[in-house]
Coordinates of all heavy atoms in Angstrom, one line a residue:
Q51 N -115.6 -59.2 -137.5 CA -116.8 -58.9 -138.0 C -117.2 -57.4 -137.5 O -117.7 -56.6 -138.3 CB -118.0 -59.8 -137.6 CG -117.9 -61.2 -138.2 CD -118.9 -62.1 -137.8 OE1 -119.5 -61.9 -136.7 NE2 -119.1 -63.2 -138.5
V52 N -117.0 -57.1 -136.4 CA -117.3 -55.8 -135.8 C -116.4 -54.8 -136.5 O -116.8 -53.7 -136.8 CB -117.2 -55.8 -134.2 CG1 -117.3 -54.4 -133.7 CG2 -118.3 -56.7 -133.6
L53 N -115.1 -55.2 -136.6 CA -114.2 -54.2 -137.3 C -114.7 -54.0 -138.7 O -114.6 -52.9 -139.2 CB -112.7 -54.8 -137.3 CG -112.0 -54.5 -136.1 CD1 -110.7 -55.2 -136.0 CD2 -111.8 -53.1 -135.9
T54 N -115.2 -55.1 -139.4 CA -115.6 -54.8 -140.7 C -116.9 -53.9 -140.8 O -117.0 -53.0 -141.7 CB -116.1 -56.2 -141.3 OG1 -115.0 -57.1 -141.3 CG2 -116.6 -56.1 -142.8
V55 N -117.8 -54.1 -139.8 CA -118.9 -53.1 -139.8 C -118.4 -51.7 -139.5 O -118.9 -50.7 -140.1 CB -119.8 -53.6 -138.7 CG1 -120.9 -52.6 -138.4 CG2 -120.5 -54.9 -139.1
Y56 N -117.4 -51.6 -138.6 CA -116.9 -50.3 -138.3 C -116.3 -49.6 -139.6 O -116.6 -48.5 -139.8 CB -115.8 -50.4 -137.3 CG -115.1 -49.1 -137.0 CD1 -115.6 -48.1 -136.2 CD2 -113.8 -48.9 -137.4 CE1 -115.0 -46.9 -135.9 CE2 -113.1 -47.7 -137.3 CZ -113.7 -46.8 -136.5 OH -113.1 -45.5 -136.3
K57 N -115.5 -50.4 -140.4 CA -114.8 -49.9 -141.6 C -115.9 -49.5 -142.5 O -115.8 -48.4 -143.3 CB -113.9 -50.9 -142.1 CG -112.7 -51.1 -141.3 CD -111.8 -52.1 -141.9 CE -110.5 -52.3 -141.1 NZ -109.8 -53.5 -141.6
K58 N -117.0 -50.3 -142.6 CA -118.1 -50.0 -143.6 C -118.7 -48.6 -143.3 O -118.9 -47.8 -144.2 CB -119.1 -51.1 -143.4 CG -120.5 -50.8 -144.1 CD -121.5 -51.9 -143.8 CE -122.9 -51.5 -144.2 NZ -123.7 -52.4 -143.7
Y59 N -119.0 -48.4 -142.0 CA -119.6 -47.1 -141.7 C -118.6 -45.9 -141.7 O -118.9 -44.8 -141.8 CB -120.3 -47.1 -140.2 CG -121.5 -48.0 -140.3 CD1 -121.6 -49.1 -139.5 CD2 -122.5 -47.9 -141.2 CE1 -122.7 -50.0 -139.5 CE2 -123.6 -48.7 -141.3 CZ -123.7 -49.8 -140.4 OH -124.8 -50.6 -140.4
R60 N -117.3 -46.3 -141.4 CA -116.3 -45.2 -141.5 C -116.0 -44.8 -142.9 O -115.8 -43.5 -143.2 CB -115.0 -45.9 -140.9 CG -113.9 -44.9 -140.8 CD -114.0 -44.0 -139.6 NE -112.9 -43.2 -139.4 CZ -113.0 -42.0 -138.9 NH1 -114.2 -41.5 -138.4 NH2 -111.9 -41.2 -138.8
E61 N -116.0 -45.8 -143.9 CA -115.7 -45.4 -145.2 C -116.9 -44.8 -146.0 O -116.7 -44.0 -146.9 CB -115.2 -46.7 -145.9 CG -113.9 -47.1 -145.5 CD -113.5 -48.4 -146.0 OE1 -114.3 -49.1 -146.8 OE2 -112.4 -49.0 -145.6
N62 N -118.1 -45.3 -145.6 CA -119.3 -44.8 -146.3 C -120.3 -44.1 -145.4 O -121.0 -44.8 -144.7 CB -120.0 -46.0 -147.0 CG -121.1 -45.6 -147.9 OD1 -121.4 -44.4 -148.0 ND2 -121.9 -46.5 -148.4
P63 N -120.4 -42.8 -145.3 CA -121.2 -42.1 -144.4 C -122.6 -42.3 -144.6 O -123.5 -42.2 -143.7 CB -120.8 -40.6 -144.4 CG -119.7 -40.6 -145.4 CD -119.4 -41.8 -146.1
D64 N -123.0 -42.6 -145.9 CA -124.4 -42.8 -146.2 C -124.9 -44.2 -146.1 O -126.1 -44.6 -146.5 CB -124.7 -42.3 -147.7 CG -124.3 -40.9 -147.9 OD1 -124.5 -40.1 -146.9 OD2 -123.8 -40.4 -148.9
A65 N -124.1 -45.1 -145.4 CA -124.5 -46.5 -145.3 C -125.7 -46.6 -144.4 O -125.9 -45.8 -143.4 CB -123.4 -47.3 -144.8
V66 N -126.6 -47.5 -144.7 CA -127.8 -47.7 -143.8 C -127.4 -48.5 -142.6 O -126.8 -49.6 -142.6 CB -128.9 -48.4 -144.6 CG1 -130.1 -48.6 -143.8 CG2 -129.2 -47.6 -145.9
F67 N -127.8 -48.0 -141.5 CA -127.5 -48.7 -140.2 C -128.5 -49.7 -139.9 O -129.7 -49.5 -139.9 CB -127.4 -47.7 -139.0 CG -126.9 -48.2 -137.8 CD1 -125.5 -48.2 -137.7 CD2 -127.6 -48.7 -136.8 CE1 -124.9 -48.7 -136.5 CE2 -127.0 -49.1 -135.7 CZ -125.6 -49.2 -135.5
E68 N -128.1 -51.0 -139.9 CA -128.9 -52.1 -139.8 C -128.8 -52.6 -138.3 O -127.8 -53.1 -137.9 CB -128.6 -53.3 -140.7 CG -128.6 -52.8 -142.2 CD -128.1 -53.9 -143.0 OE1 -127.8 -55.1 -142.5 OE2 -127.9 -53.7 -144.2
T69 N -129.9 -52.5 -137.6 CA -129.9 -53.0 -136.2 C -130.9 -54.0 -136.1 O -131.8 -54.3 -136.9 CB -130.2 -51.9 -135.2 OG1 -131.4 -51.4 -135.4 CG2 -129.1 -50.8 -135.3
K70 N -130.9 -54.8 -134.9 CA -131.9 -55.8 -134.7 C -133.2 -55.1 -134.4 O -134.2 -55.7 -134.5 CB -131.4 -56.7 -133.6 CG -130.9 -56.0 -132.3 CD -130.2 -56.8 -131.4 CE -129.5 -56.0 -130.5 NZ -129.2 -56.4 -129.2
E72 N -134.8 -51.0 -134.6 CA -134.4 -49.6 -134.9 C -134.6 -48.7 -133.8 O -134.1 -47.6 -133.7 CB -135.4 -49.2 -136.0 CG -135.2 -49.8 -137.4 CD -133.8 -49.4 -137.9 OE1 -133.3 -48.3 -137.7 OE2 -133.1 -50.2 -138.6
Y75 N -131.3 -47.5 -132.1 CA -130.4 -46.5 -132.8 C -130.5 -45.1 -132.0 O -131.6 -44.6 -131.8 CB -130.8 -46.3 -134.2 CG -129.8 -45.5 -135.0 CD1 -128.6 -46.0 -135.5 CD2 -130.1 -44.1 -135.2 CE1 -127.8 -45.3 -136.3 CE2 -129.2 -43.3 -135.9 CZ -128.0 -43.9 -136.4 OH -127.1 -43.1 -137.1
D81 N -124.5 -36.1 -136.9 CA -123.7 -36.6 -138.0 C -124.1 -38.0 -138.3 O -123.8 -38.9 -137.4 CB -122.2 -36.3 -137.8 CG -121.4 -36.6 -139.0 OD1 -122.0 -36.8 -140.2 OD2 -120.2 -36.9 -138.8
N82 N -124.6 -38.4 -139.5 CA -124.9 -39.8 -139.8 C -123.8 -40.8 -139.6 O -123.9 -41.8 -139.0 CB -125.6 -39.9 -141.2 CG -126.2 -41.2 -141.4 OD1 -126.7 -41.8 -140.4 ND2 -126.2 -41.7 -142.6
Q83 N -122.6 -40.4 -140.1 CA -121.4 -41.3 -140.1 C -121.0 -41.5 -138.6 O -120.8 -42.7 -138.2 CB -120.3 -40.7 -140.8 CG -119.0 -41.5 -140.8 CD -117.9 -40.9 -141.6 OE1 -117.9 -39.7 -141.9 NE2 -116.9 -41.7 -141.9
R84 N -120.9 -40.5 -137.9 CA -120.3 -40.6 -136.5 C -121.4 -41.4 -135.7 O -121.1 -42.1 -134.8 CB -120.2 -39.3 -135.8 CG -119.0 -38.6 -136.5 CD -118.5 -37.4 -135.7 NE -117.9 -37.9 -134.5 CZ -117.5 -37.1 -133.5 NH1 -117.7 -35.9 -133.6 NH2 -117.0 -37.5 -132.4
D85 N -122.8 -41.1 -135.9 CA -123.8 -41.8 -135.2 C -123.7 -43.4 -135.5 O -124.0 -44.1 -134.6 CB -125.2 -41.3 -135.4 CG -125.4 -40.0 -134.8 OD1 -124.7 -39.6 -133.9 OD2 -126.3 -39.1 -135.3
N86 N -123.5 -43.6 -136.8 CA -123.4 -45.0 -137.1 C -122.2 -45.7 -136.4 O -122.4 -46.9 -135.9 CB -123.2 -45.2 -138.7 CG -124.4 -45.0 -139.4 OD1 -125.6 -45.1 -138.9 ND2 -124.3 -44.7 -140.7
I87 N -121.1 -45.1 -136.3 CA -119.9 -45.6 -135.6 C -120.3 -45.8 -134.1 O -119.9 -46.8 -133.5 CB -118.6 -44.8 -135.9 CG1 -118.3 -44.9 -137.4 CG2 -117.5 -45.3 -135.0 CD1 -117.2 -43.9 -137.8
L88 N -120.9 -44.8 -133.6 CA -121.2 -44.9 -132.1 C -122.2 -45.9 -131.8 O -122.3 -46.5 -130.7 CB -121.6 -43.5 -131.6 CG -120.6 -42.5 -131.6 CD1 -121.1 -41.1 -131.3 CD2 -119.4 -42.9 -130.6
N89 N -123.1 -46.3 -132.7 CA -124.1 -47.2 -132.6 C -123.8 -48.6 -133.1 O -124.6 -49.5 -133.2 CB -125.4 -46.8 -133.2 CG -126.1 -45.7 -132.4 OD1 -126.7 -46.0 -131.3 ND2 -126.0 -44.5 -132.9
I90 N -122.5 -48.9 -133.3 CA -122.2 -50.3 -133.7 C -122.5 -51.2 -132.6 O -122.8 -52.4 -133.0 CB -120.6 -50.3 -134.0 CG1 -120.3 -49.6 -135.4 CG2 -120.0 -51.7 -134.1 CD1 -118.9 -49.4 -135.8
I91 N -122.5 -50.8 -131.5 CA -122.9 -51.8 -130.4 C -124.4 -52.4 -130.5 O -124.6 -53.4 -130.0 CB -122.7 -51.2 -129.0 CG1 -122.6 -52.2 -128.0 CG2 -123.8 -50.1 -128.7 CD1 -121.9 -51.8 -126.7
N92 N -125.2 -51.7 -131.3 CA -126.5 -52.2 -131.5 C -126.6 -53.2 -132.6 O -127.8 -53.6 -133.0 CB -127.4 -51.0 -131.8 CG -127.6 -50.1 -130.6 OD1 -127.4 -50.5 -129.5 ND2 -127.7 -48.8 -130.8
T93 N -125.6 -53.5 -133.3 CA -125.6 -54.4 -134.5 C -125.7 -55.9 -134.0 O -125.4 -56.1 -132.8 CB -124.4 -54.3 -135.4 OG1 -123.2 -54.6 -134.6 CG2 -124.3 -52.9 -135.9
K94 N -126.1 -56.7 -134.9 CA -126.2 -58.2 -134.6 C -124.8 -58.7 -134.3 O -124.6 -59.6 -133.5 CB -126.8 -58.9 -135.8 CG -128.2 -58.6 -136.0 CD -128.8 -59.3 -137.2 CE -130.3 -58.7 -137.4 NZ -130.9 -59.2 -138.7
E95 N -123.8 -58.3 -135.1 CA -122.3 -58.8 -134.9 C -122.0 -58.4 -133.5 O -121.3 -59.2 -132.8 CB -121.5 -58.1 -136.0 CG -121.7 -58.7 -137.4 CD -122.7 -57.8 -138.0 OE1 -123.4 -56.9 -137.4 OE2 -123.1 -58.2 -139.3

Side-chain angles (χ1 to χ4, degrees):
Q51 287 177 349
V52 172
L53 276 173
T54 302
V55 171
Y56 173 77
K57 287 178 185 175
K58 171 184 162 184
Y59 293 125
R60 184 82 176 144
E61 293 169 359
N62 184 7
D64 298 325
V66 177
F67 194 82
E68 300 171 10
T69 63
K70 51 191 167 159
E72 287 298 324
Y75 188 85
D81 180 19
N82 191 31
Q83 180 183 15
R84 292 192 74 188
D85 287 340
N86 284 342
I87 292 171
L88 293 172
N89 281 284
I90 286 178
I91 198 158
N92 295 329
T93 62
K94 293 176 186 175
E95 291 85 359

